[in-house]
Structure formats: C-alpha cells, structure tokens
Amino acid sequence: MMIIFTGCEKFLSESPTKSTSEPIERIEQLVGLLDAPNYTENFRFTDLTSTDNYDLPLDLFEVYPSALTASSGLPHYVFGIEEVANRPSDMHWNNSYGEIYKANLILENVDQVSGDAALKAQIKAEAYFLRAYSNFMLATYYCLPYHSDHFDELGLPYKTSTSPEQSMARMSLKDTYNWIESDLAEALNTTKNKPTTTYRADNKATVNALLSRLYLYQEEWDKVIAAADQALDNTGIIKLKDYNTLGPGTPVIFDNPPYTIAYSEITDYAAPTYFNWNESFFIRVIYKHPSMLIASPSLLDMFDKTNDVRYKWFFLNEVRRYAPTYAKEVRSYTNAFGGWFMLAGVTIQEVMLNKAEALVRKSSPDVAGAMTLVNQLRTNRMQAHTGRTLTAENAEDALLKVLAERRREFPFSLRWGDIRRFAYTATTIDDIIVSRDFYEYENGVANKAVPKTYTLPLKSRRYAVPINQLEVNKTRGEFEQNTY
C-alpha cells in the first residue's frame, strides 16, 4: 500500500481535475488519475436497508430513533419515492458520475499526450473499464432490471465527454447495457492477463470478472461460465481468504452489567490493509451507514451458528453500544474494514458463485461443478465439521444452495441486485417479496400512531431507485425521472 500512497503523492499535483486549468500533456498525468482511485461507494442506502436482509425492530426504534433516520436510509427502508428523490443529494450518483468523468477525461486526452504507446493503450483500456463499471453500478440501481420487458424503458445518459454541453437524455435500457458491454470489450484490449494489484483494472482477468456479473444479470449462462473461467484461471495475486485464520480485534467492553462486543481483526484494519484485500479483483468499499446494520431474522437463520465463521465474527449483538437501555439481543453486520467500510467491487468469491449459479441454471445443468465451487468457498468460511461439504439432489436443490451461499456471503452488497433479477428468471423458487412493519412515514417524519406494512412486490417499478430530483431539474426537462 505504500506504493499506492507514494504514487498518489507523486501525481496528485499533476493529475487533472474538474477544477484545474493545468494542460494535460503527459501520460503520467493520466496514470495519476488511476493511481488515486475513489475506493468508497458512499451511501448506497438501498443496498443496505431496502432488502430482506435488514430489519428494524419497532421497539428498538422507540428507544433509539437514531437507529435509522432520514439521512441514513429510512426513506429507502419504506421504499419511498418522493422521499428518496427529494433528499438534499445522492452521493452514490455523484461519485459514480465522478468516476465516469475521470474515465472520459482519460479517453479524451490519452491519444494526444506524450508517452509510451503501449502505456497509452493500457491506460485507455482501464478507462473503458472504469466507465463500464460505473455505468453498470448506476444501471443496476436507478434503472429497471435487464429483461426484454424493459428494453425500451429508460436507461442512462450516453456520457462520453467531459463537456457539460453533452446531452443528458436517457438512452433505452437495452442501449445502456450494449454500451456497457462494448466498453468492457474495449477494456479487454489490455495486454496483461493477471492482476498484480487490487485497485487497477489493468488486466483481462478483472474485466472478465465483471463480465461474469454482467452476463449473470442478462441470463447468458454460457457466457457467465466462459468469463468466470477466464478470471478464475488467471487470478494472479487474487485468492480466497480463509476466515478460519481471522483473529480478534479490539473489543468494546461494558460494565454494570459486564458485556463485551468481540469484534474481529477486520474492524481494526486501516486503509493500507483493506485496499490490498486479496480477494478483490477490483476493490471498492461501501460506507456502512446506518452505523448499526441490523440483520433480519431470516438472514440470521441462513447461518450455521455453531460452525460458520462469518456468523461468529460478523453478526454481533452490538445494540448496547448504541442503545444502552435496550435489553433484547439484536445482531448487526460488522464485517467492515476499520468498522465502517464493507467490501464491494468485484471479488473472487462472487465470480465463483456467478459461475456456480450459471452452471445450475443452464439448459444442461452441471450440479457437481456448481457444488464444487460452493464447497471451495465454504471451506474458507466454516470450521471443519461434517456439514461443511454440501451435496445437491438435483439442479433445483443445487440452485437453492448456491443462492443461499450467495446471500450469506454478500448480504449488503449484491442482495438488492439479486432480488431484482430473481423476479424475472424462469423459475419462481428464487422470488423474493420484501415486506416490513413500520409506521406511516411522510416528509421525513414517522407517525408512531399509525402502524403500516410496506411491501415491495415482485417486478415492482420501485426496483428502480428514484433519481435525485435536483439532478433531474438541472437539465430543465431533458433528463427524465423514473415513473412509478
């Protein structure tokens, strides 16, 4: 990680930004942009609070209303529309378009600057990846799911320029996904096969890792398998972490009555450690907000509470830290670097599970191959015991086991995308209807006198998160808001 910071210090003064007028003349200036990435995907509230993995007990909210507020995801928890659109800002939208701006800045200048031709080609390929990744994150959050029923629905603006004059009119969803795939095809022009860092998408394996997710969302099962194989056959420094080797971190200790919250070492990790987390083909982290990410009973029931190391270290009863008078046990998700940053981006375990799912969903299922991948992951997540190795009776049974492992592994990073796409698969066994009891919520106020049940039905148009209305208004009618 010292190399990363050294690189940042070397190039930050040279790297062009929106606010500098310094001319872009050398390839080193563009390299500096990629050596100083924006790792944090801020405030993805929908991923954190809108799925069946988050639950807010009403009696906890009574004594600790700060558990979930208007600024920490409450409008998303109740599937709000106006309440979400009218927030003061949307950092996930802003950060993603900041990365797209960076990619376009590189692509606009890379052919004109001085420098080695091979390095220019490499930097260009990385810029295409960065733009594709950011657009993919936007499309799977603010647009309807990829499905033939939605091909003519609103996608994203075709932003290929740093000019504010370029149109912000939204393409169709089909054209948006075609553009993302086209950019990833350009990214495959990199000459490197294997990753040597976790933060630079300068190799074919990382591009194929993301392609395995893209094709999974498009239900192109054979393409998922092919892309995943290319990634898994060229992992370089990327490898699974054996969670059995995790040790304790700094505990939080209470007196009267005595109680200890036994965090894992991950909670103590500083940036140099987690930015080099070797499970990551492309490291990104989600800022954990709300601070107490309460796990739903249905999520907790997915775990072998005796043998699964993820349950031991990452689902802790930390409610006393926030609500000292609340006597019940409430387990919240604590798998966060430094206590605040949850692993996202593209990881080796995701690629393995992408492939496993494709193997059992394809027309000629490979149940054994899928279960081999699941069990490789479980070996690194569970203590040795007789139930660690799973078997499946048939493709349907295998699919349920693959999806259960996916839910355990990615409860607050991929679950929202999975719920969306499950509604459109050929089977109904993966359908998820999200429902929760809360209070009537309007204009940022929860009316505790009026209980209300909120439900996100299958194939809801609310699968598309409302876009911040300020962004819509900036374009004076050119950019269209989602319809519900």
Side-chain angles (χ1 to χ4, degrees), residues 57-170:
L58 291 181
D59 58 350
L60 173 60
F61 185 74
E62 290 284 344
V63 300
Y64 182 54
S66 295
L68 196 63
T69 66
S71 62
S72 66
L74 184 49
H76 301 74
Y77 181 65
V78 298
F79 318 123
I81 296 175
E82 291 84 2
E83 296 89 348
V84 172
N86 293 327
R87 295 297 304 149
S89 65
D90 185 337
M91 290 301 296
H92 182 43
W93 176 273
N94 294 341
N95 288 350
S96 296
Y97 271 105
E99 294 295 274
I100 291 169
Y101 180 93
K102 181 193 297 184
N104 287 335
L105 188 66
I106 292 170
L107 292 171
E108 286 177 348
N109 289 278
V110 66
D111 290 329
Q112 284 73 48
V113 297
S114 62
D116 177 72
L119 180 57
K120 288 184 181 183
Q122 176 62 53
I123 297 305
K124 183 183 293 188
E126 286 189 68
Y128 278 116
F129 177 93
L130 185 61
R131 189 168 72 185
Y133 176 84
S134 300
N135 276 316
F136 191 26
M137 295 303 297
L138 289 165
T140 55
Y141 199 85
Y142 299 101
C143 304
L144 289 170
Y146 183 92
H147 186 266
S148 57
D149 290 351
H150 301 151
F151 282 171
D152 293 328
E153 294 275 4
L154 292 171
L156 298 174
Y158 185 63
K159 288 297 292 182
T160 58
S161 168
T162 59
S163 171
E165 303 303 319
Q166 188 177 26
S167 172
M168 282 294 289
R170 298 173 71 175

Side-chain angles (χ1 to χ4, degrees), residues 347-386:
T347 64
I348 186 171
Q349 59 266 39
E350 182 200 343
V351 177
M352 293 169 64
L353 292 176
N354 290 348
K355 179 182 176 182
E357 184 178 335
L359 285 172
V360 293
R361 287 198 191 266
K362 69 175 187 169
S363 57
S364 299
D366 180 358
V367 171
M371 298 314 297
T372 295
L373 288 162
V374 169
N375 288 324
Q376 286 174 354
L377 178 58
R378 287 171 65 85
T379 298
N380 289 275
R381 297 296 188 259
M382 305 187 75
Q383 299 174 9
H385 70 290
T386 55

Side-chain angles (χ1 to χ4, degrees), residues 117-280:
L119 180 57
K120 288 184 181 183
Q122 176 62 53
I123 297 305
K124 183 183 293 188
E126 286 189 68
Y128 278 116
F129 177 93
L130 185 61
R131 189 168 72 185
Y133 176 84
S134 300
N135 276 316
F136 191 26
M137 295 303 297
L138 289 165
T140 55
Y141 199 85
Y142 299 101
C143 304
L144 289 170
Y146 183 92
H147 186 266
S148 57
D149 290 351
H150 301 151
F151 282 171
D152 293 328
E153 294 275 4
L154 292 171
L156 298 174
Y158 185 63
K159 288 297 292 182
T160 58
S161 168
T162 59
S163 171
E165 303 303 319
Q166 188 177 26
S167 172
M168 282 294 289
R170 298 173 71 175
M171 298 184 290
S172 71
L173 186 70
K174 178 65 172 175
D175 286 344
T176 296
Y177 274 80
N178 288 343
W179 180 33
I180 293 167
E181 186 173 6
S182 174
D183 273 0
L184 289 175
E186 292 288 348
L188 283 172
N189 287 325
T190 177
T191 57
K192 286 179 63 176
N193 290 321
K194 301 180 179 182
T196 55
T197 73
T198 62
Y199 68 97
R200 289 279 295 270
D202 58 357
N203 61 90
K204 296 181 190 295
T206 297
V207 181
N208 277 300
L210 183 58
L211 278 167
S212 77
R213 188 194 300 179
L214 176 68
Y215 293 139
L216 187 76
Y217 283 31
Q218 295 177 320
E219 300 189 13
E220 296 278 1
W221 310 128
D222 289 335
K223 289 184 178 180
V224 174
I225 295 165
D229 282 341
Q230 289 295 316
L232 296 174
D233 289 344
N234 295 280
T235 51
I237 67 167
I238 309 306
K239 59 183 179 181
L240 284 174
K241 170 75 173 177
D242 185 355
Y243 283 7
N244 289 290
T245 66
L246 289 175
T250 303
V252 175
I253 301 172
F254 298 91
D255 298 318
N256 192 30
Y259 183 72
T260 298
I261 304 175
Y263 292 105
S264 79
E265 64 183 65
I266 286 178
T267 310
D268 290 341
Y269 288 174
T273 300
Y274 65 77
F275 287 160
N276 288 292
W277 188 254
N278 277 30
E279 292 187 320
S280 299

